[in-house]
Amino acid sequence: MPLSMTRRQLINMSVQAVAAAAASRFIVVESYAEPKRKTYLSIFEPLDKFIQQYMQDMNSPGMTFVLADRDGVQRVATYGFSDRDGKIEVKPVELFEIGSISKSFVANCLLQLRQEGKLNLFKPIADYLPWFRVESSFQPITVHHLLTHTSGLPGNPPVFLSDLSQSHRAAYAPDQFFHYCNTAFVALGHLLWTLDGRPLPEVIRKRVFEPLGMSQSEPVISLDVRARMANNYSVFQNDRPYLRNGRLSEAPAIILTDGSGCIASTPRDMGLYIQMLTNRGQGPAGRLLSDESFQLFSRPYIKAEEFGPTASYGYGIAVDTLDGHTILRHTGGMVSFASALQVDIDEGVGAFASINAMQGYRPNPVVQYALQLMRAHRQSKSLPAAPPSNPPTKVENAADYAGVYQSEDGRKLDFVAEGPRLFLLHQGTRVALEAAGGDSFNVAHSAYERFQFNFGRVDAKDPKSAVVEVGWGSDWFTSSKYSGPKKFEYPKEWDSYVGHYRNESPWIGSTHIILRKGKLMADGVVPLEAGEGGIFHLRDEPNSPEWIRFGSIVNGRAMRLKLSGEDMWRVMAD
């Protein structure tokens, strides 16, 4: 699609740059794509102030952002830098990869096919795609199961496995559990191609982009559109935990053409998509989704705690509540972009934000605060206070972890707390720990950067029980409060599995298999549970369908690891 703006858009664009911050400039470029779009002017200052703090806290290079409601795109703004080294600000016409938010576009297209009588959502996917081989002792997987991430399939193996004799493996009966599955939406992209008769990019362009006027968006990520992309960044070392203020490097270009996350868009175009969602399927020239189809799209079919404690999942979109209102929302994580979309379909407002780096988070706080500001403005209420700053070294319950922990061979770890901060005492220096979720922490020191510190409590199910142990990789340390066993038995062949395995695909990367307390773990965090036939089940969630198998034992070391169908190989350098 053409990059150039129309003459009307150019005439009605106002741009302002705001300089702030002590150590570096904070750039806001504000654009109005339509005349007189200043309905929410009063919320811009508090919103921009929060975004500045958020981007500083999260080490974000740049951000693209849009506010929209039932009446149209209300504000387009970009923040920070596309080129960090050259200090070149993000431009409103630059493409950002929206990641898994693309899944809602795929769902929209499939529901349109249903409206046309070409698709039965409860028909087995094998009836439509007989080549999609699934090994299962349960009832067939349907289109509905794939749309809701309830198929029981692992999340990320390729639809077409490298071993042509192998099939995908269902871990449990469909419709029982939510497990996020990119593979499902890759298959659904092939289903669109099969039923519509056009390749997936053309289906998305014709069925969503063109009816909504999304003229700046691209339905696939390819090298042909790289020049239109904002510069984007990924972590400098991707074989270890990432520190919030860690080093970034410009990311290599990728090609992605499948239904799991193939769209690149601009804030203005995402505002047009939000406008359609706030109007419950109605576009400017007619309905994309009928009332019935939109209800199917936005119905909460299954609890999806991955999206939050109150979230469920619809068709390609999460369904949640915020302050008593129904919210449609999704995030998108790419190799070098992180995005968030939230739409309040009760109030009829929405926001989208995308950051040109992947550092393990999504800008949900930005879009959520934007919704709350928009709603307060519309209801003539006082504007809500911004969320508090979230620096990386803030640890609310730091005192829980303070103390001395000792290994069986006499080595010690000494942690001290000062208010909401936790420090490791190492060789006479204090090193601040960064919260990594739950009882896990990263530390900015070369001696400990390879793994997280994982603290354990007396009762793993009680987050208020005493902390009595800490693990780091294969190393294990206990405090004087620990009263459990200190010797553990395990099959000796497991020693051959310990090591670093890698696939150079940016979507896979590295995993470190370690042994701690007689248990195999991935990256010192995810427990592996031995199953039948040499399979180990990943147990970071109780019903995870993900699995690992080790193979090619050479000189007492496994040289290959298969992760849910993806191949990884031993790294001999460490």
Side-chain angles (χ1 to χ4, degrees):
M1 300 303 292
L3 175 60
S4 59
M5 304 182 70
T6 67
R7 184 172 181 272
R8 181 184 176 196
Q9 288 170 331
L10 186 61
I11 290 172
N12 289 296
M13 172 176 281
S14 66
V15 177
Q16 65 179 29
V18 179
S24 62
R25 293 187 304 158
F26 182 72
I27 302 296
V28 183
V29 177
E30 186 169 288
S31 162
Y32 295 95
E34 298 292 343
K36 299 180 181 178
R37 291 298 193 200
K38 297 189 179 182
T39 305
Y40 299 94
L41 190 61
S42 67
I43 75 171
F44 292 179
E45 183 178 351
L47 180 59
D48 289 347
K49 185 177 180 180
F50 170 65
I51 289 175
Q52 177 183 357
Q53 182 64 60
Y54 179 82
M55 291 179 67
Q56 290 171 349
D57 283 347
M58 306 306 291
N59 191 29
S60 305
M63 180 190 291
T64 196
F65 179 78
V66 65
L67 298 175
D69 61 15
R70 293 188 181 113
D71 296 325
V73 177
Q74 297 295 341
R75 189 198 193 195
V76 168
T78 59
Y79 304 83
F81 301 113
S82 173
D83 184 337
R84 283 169 46 125
D85 294 333
K87 302 301 181 187
I88 300 172
E89 65 266 22
V90 178
K91 299 176 179 63
V93 292
E94 287 183 307
L95 291 171
F96 277 59
E97 297 170 9
I98 71 170
S100 288
I101 298 171
S102 305
K103 291 178 171 67
S104 65
F105 288 73
V106 170
N108 267 268
C109 294
L110 287 168
L111 287 167
Q112 289 182 39
L113 287 172
R114 179 186 176 276
Q115 291 171 180
E116 298 163 11
K118 299 176 182 177
L119 174 65
N120 181 341
L121 297 173
F122 295 94
K123 190 173 182 179
I125 188 64
D127 290 359
Y128 292 113
L129 306 177
W131 48 262
F132 185 48
R133 302 189 308 276
V134 176
E135 177 186 324
S136 174
S137 58
F138 310 105
Q139 66 260 40
I141 295 169
T142 67
V143 179
H144 167 85
H145 298 139
L146 297 179
L147 280 166
T148 55
H149 300 289
T150 58
S151 65
L153 296 175
N156 293 300
V159 164
F160 300 100
L161 296 167
S162 58
D163 184 347
L164 298 180
S165 65
Q166 196 174 31
S167 297
H168 293 276
R169 184 177 307 175
Y172 44 77
D175 230 14
Q176 281 195 320
F177 307 107
F178 177 88
H179 182 76
Y180 196 80
C181 186
N182 284 307
T183 304
F185 275 80
V186 178
L188 291 172
H190 286 285
L191 177 62
L192 277 175
W193 179 18
T194 299
L195 298 182
D196 186 277
R198 296 174 287 196
L200 177 62
E202 282 306 296
V203 175
I204 293 174
R205 194 184 299 280
K206 295 295 183 182
R207 289 187 175 273
V208 182
F209 287 0
E210 291 184 2
L212 297 184
M214 296 177 66
S215 60
Q216 298 173 342
S217 298
E218 292 293 340
V220 290
I221 297 163
S222 70
L223 300 186
D224 292 333
V225 301
R226 187 180 187 188
R228 295 179 52 202
M229 291 271 187
N231 282 19
N232 44 91
Y233 301 87
S234 56
V235 300
F236 182 69
Q237 292 174 300
N238 65 0
D239 65 340
R240 63 202 65 192
Y242 175 72
L243 293 158
R244 182 92 66 82
N245 290 303
R247 182 177 173 184
L248 296 172
S249 59
E250 189 168 347
I254 65 168
I255 293 176
L256 188 63
T257 61
D258 64 53
S260 66
C262 58
I263 292 173
S265 191
T266 63
R268 171 254 185 193
D269 276 13
M270 290 304 296
L272 297 174
Y273 186 63
I274 289 171
Q275 183 183 8
M276 181 272 292
L277 294 178
T278 58
N279 283 297
R280 307 181 70 87
Q282 175 71 44
R287 298 198 69 86
L288 270 69
L289 298 179
S290 66
D291 285 335
E292 179 189 16
S293 291
F294 191 82
Q295 289 175 19
L296 292 172
F297 173 73
S298 58
R299 182 178 299 167
Y301 293 103
I302 190 163
K303 292 290 293 181
E305 292 187 0
E306 181 175 328
F307 285 85
T310 60
S312 297
Y313 207 81
Y315 282 164
I317 198 81
V319 186
D320 206 347
T321 58
L322 176 65
D323 304 328
H325 287 226
T326 300
I327 305 294
L328 300 183
R329 64 187 186 92
H330 216 288
T331 57
M334 298 293 282
V335 173
S336 51
F337 289 91
S339 305
L341 170 79
Q342 292 197 19
V343 181
D344 182 335
I345 58 174
D346 292 337
E347 188 68 36
V349 297
F352 165 83
S354 185
I355 289 167
N356 58 334
M358 172 44 64
Q359 299 151 285
Y361 66 89
R362 313 291 186 269
N364 268 314
V366 170
V367 291
Q368 180 171 305
Y369 185 50
L371 291 195
Q372 292 171 320
L373 287 170
M374 292 177 80
R375 185 191 303 149
H377 173 85
R378 291 164 65 92
Q379 297 173 358
S380 299
K381 294 182 177 179
S382 298
L383 298 182
S389 176
N390 181 29
T393 55
K394 182 179 180 180
V395 181
E396 293 289 358
N397 54 340
D400 286 5
Y401 310 100
V404 177
Y405 302 79
Q406 184 169 314
S407 66
E408 283 292 281
D409 60 6
R411 289 173 296 144
K412 293 181 180 180
L413 294 175
D414 191 356
F415 298 93
V416 296
E418 282 189 7
R421 299 190 72 186
L422 183 65
F423 298 89
L424 168 68
L425 300 183
H426 179 73
Q427 296 180 349
T429 63
R430 300 195 319 166
V431 185
L433 272 66
E434 292 190 5
D439 292 323
S440 296
F441 299 87
N442 301 325
V443 60
H445 194 285
S446 58
Y448 294 103
E449 64 183 9
R450 187 57 58 90
F451 297 102
Q452 293 177 342
F453 283 112
N454 307 118
F455 289 88
R457 297 178 181 270
V458 171
D459 182 351
K461 296 181 180 179
D462 182 2
K464 295 184 178 180
S465 63
V467 174
V468 295
E469 59 183 315
V470 59
W472 182 86
S474 294
D475 295 339
W476 180 55
F477 305 79
T478 60
S479 75
S480 58
K481 300 176 185 177
Y482 180 82
S483 60
K486 292 191 175 182
K487 299 291 184 182
F488 305 93
E489 299 295 327
Y490 62 89
K492 289 306 176 185
E493 61 265 26
W494 289 8
D495 287 323
S496 67
Y497 304 152
V498 173
H500 177 189
Y501 300 83
R502 186 168 176 86
N503 182 309
E504 287 303 326
S505 165
W507 302 105
I508 304 172
S510 289
T511 188
H512 293 81
I513 302 299
I514 63 98
L515 259 169
R516 190 166 74 225
K517 297 178 64 177
K519 296 180 180 179
L520 287 171
M521 305 182 78
D523 296 315
V525 178
V526 181
L528 303 186
E529 179 185 284
E532 297 180 357
I535 291 288
F536 290 86
H537 303 283
L538 276 66
R539 286 296 180 242
D540 50 333
E541 55 185 81
N543 302 291
S544 172
E546 309 294 341
W547 54 271
I548 277 177
R549 175 185 283 141
F550 300 92
S552 302
I553 308 297
V554 176
N555 295 329
R557 293 288 182 267
M559 303 305 293
R560 191 177 67 160
L561 178 155
K562 193 173 281 288
L563 173 60
S564 299
E566 288 278 19
D567 291 307
M568 303 180 74
W569 296 269
R570 177 178 289 274
V571 176
M572 300 298 288
D574 59 355

